[in-house]
Amino acid sequence: MKIIKLNATNSTNSFLKELGQNSALENFTVVVTGEQKKGRGQQESKWISEPFKNLTFSVFTNDFDLEIRHQKYLNFAISLGVFNTLAHHKIPNLSIKWPNDILSANKKICGILIENNIKGTKINSSIIGIGLNVNQEKFPDTIKNVSSLKITSNLEFDLDRLLIEIVENLKKTIHLLSLKEYLKLETDYLTALYKNKIPSMFKDKDGILFMGKIIGVSNYGNLQVELEDETTREFGVKEISFL
């Protein structure tokens, strides 16, 4: 594990990507910054974090042999790597909100952005961007339903130690891809999945409300929701939300 520490940068994912264009990256190279000025989330949404209070970092990995059609298992592995770390610290009411947000007591504490490099029919490598709210206690009024490890546990965390723990757990879960342990990854992910198999009210991208329950994730990584008439609909990222 090679860790590169920066006081500030626009985006750790972008920094690591540019670094990889100029030199060969060691597997599990990590770039971590105290202040990320232009943090990114899913589909170019912003990740806002108080400087030097949280973990904002990116990890390069090519430690797997994965067909593009099995991409959802990479997401499962990465989500579980973070989830397992926080579970070890007994963070209360943990869950994974599809596709890869980590919640505590229904509030978001971690966001993950995965950017893959494709070669032929396989994912050749990935850059995993992780923003984890750790010791921050106050958030802007414009950000709703967010929390941090300190708020949920009343404990102050050592950022350096927590970073190493997360990367070590990522190594373990990503290694399961090399072993083709897809069933275990899917079972563990669905066990941790927020509102899985629980009837809930949803809203689609057109603003239409409907009742349904999450029943799984399709081969293409879409969320599968069973409706009241027992038919199943699939949704991509940003196409569905909880009411």
Side-chain angles (χ1 to χ4, degrees):
M1 182 194 309
K2 179 181 180 181
I3 299 178
I4 301 168
K5 293 186 177 182
L6 307 172
N7 280 330
T9 188
N10 284 337
S11 161
T12 54
N13 263 35
S14 298
F15 184 95
L16 198 47
K17 195 182 299 182
E18 291 171 9
L19 192 65
Q21 291 173 351
N22 299 316
S23 60
L25 293 178
E26 179 184 324
N27 191 27
F28 288 102
T29 295
V30 179
V31 172
V32 60
T33 185
E35 181 178 5
Q36 187 163 237
K37 298 178 179 180
K38 295 181 180 179
R40 294 179 290 132
Q42 294 285 351
Q43 295 193 345
E44 301 305 316
S45 60
K46 293 182 179 179
W47 181 263
I48 300 172
S49 176
E50 184 178 347
F52 304 101
K53 289 283 188 177
N54 306 308
L55 278 176
T56 48
F57 65 99
S58 296
V59 182
F60 170 83
T61 180
N62 56 4
D63 187 29
F64 51 81
D65 178 31
L66 194 67
E67 294 283 342
I68 295 172
R69 61 192 175 93
H70 291 149
Q71 181 174 335
K72 71 173 185 177
Y73 299 110
L74 175 60
N75 179 56
F76 294 168
I78 292 166
S79 303
L80 287 166
V82 179
F83 178 90
N84 292 343
T85 306
L86 302 184
H88 175 74
H89 285 280
K90 296 181 171 54
I91 302 302
N93 301 310
L94 272 181
S95 61
I96 300 171
K97 184 180 177 184
W98 177 85
N100 48 32
D101 285 343
I102 310 296
L103 308 183
S104 173
N106 304 333
K107 292 187 176 182
K108 183 173 178 177
I109 56 174
C110 180
I112 298 172
L113 175 65
I114 305 167
E115 297 184 292
N116 296 319
N117 179 39
I118 308 297
K119 192 171 185 179
T121 63
K122 294 188 176 183
I123 299 174
N124 189 47
S125 63
S126 292
I127 292 177
I128 306 156
I130 296 175
L132 175 62
N133 295 331
V134 183
N135 294 322
Q136 185 169 344
E137 296 181 87
K138 294 182 179 180
F139 294 88
D141 293 336
T142 53
I143 305 176
K144 305 299 181 183
N145 296 320
V146 296
S147 189
S148 70
L149 302 188
K150 186 170 184 178
I151 291 172
T152 58
S153 69
N154 293 315
L155 296 172
E156 185 92 12
F157 286 80
D158 183 307
L159 296 180
D160 291 337
R161 184 178 301 173
L162 187 60
L163 170 66
I164 291 172
E165 289 177 14
I166 292 172
V167 176
E168 290 298 336
N169 276 309
L170 285 173
K171 286 182 180 180
K172 293 175 184 177
T173 51
I174 289 173
H175 183 59
L176 293 175
L177 296 172
S178 303
L179 301 177
K180 307 291 191 256
E181 293 279 2
Y182 300 147
L183 180 59
K184 175 176 173 50
L185 285 168
E186 185 152 18
T187 300
D188 290 352
Y189 178 88
L190 293 178
T191 298
L193 188 62
Y194 180 68
K195 297 283 191 181
N196 188 34
K197 302 290 197 300
I198 298 174
S200 306
M201 182 69 76
F202 296 93
K203 181 170 70 174
D204 68 15
K205 62 181 179 181
D206 298 316
I208 297 173
L209 306 181
F210 62 95
M211 284 292 297
K213 63 180 179 181
I214 296 170
I215 59 171
V217 178
S218 75
N219 290 336
Y220 296 99
N222 291 330
L223 189 68
Q224 297 173 316
V225 178
E226 184 181 278
L227 307 182
E228 290 183 292
D229 62 3
E230 297 186 350
T231 60
T232 299
R233 286 182 65 186
E234 293 188 8
F235 299 88
V237 175
K238 303 291 186 182
E239 292 181 350
I240 187 174
S241 60
F242 290 98
L243 188 61

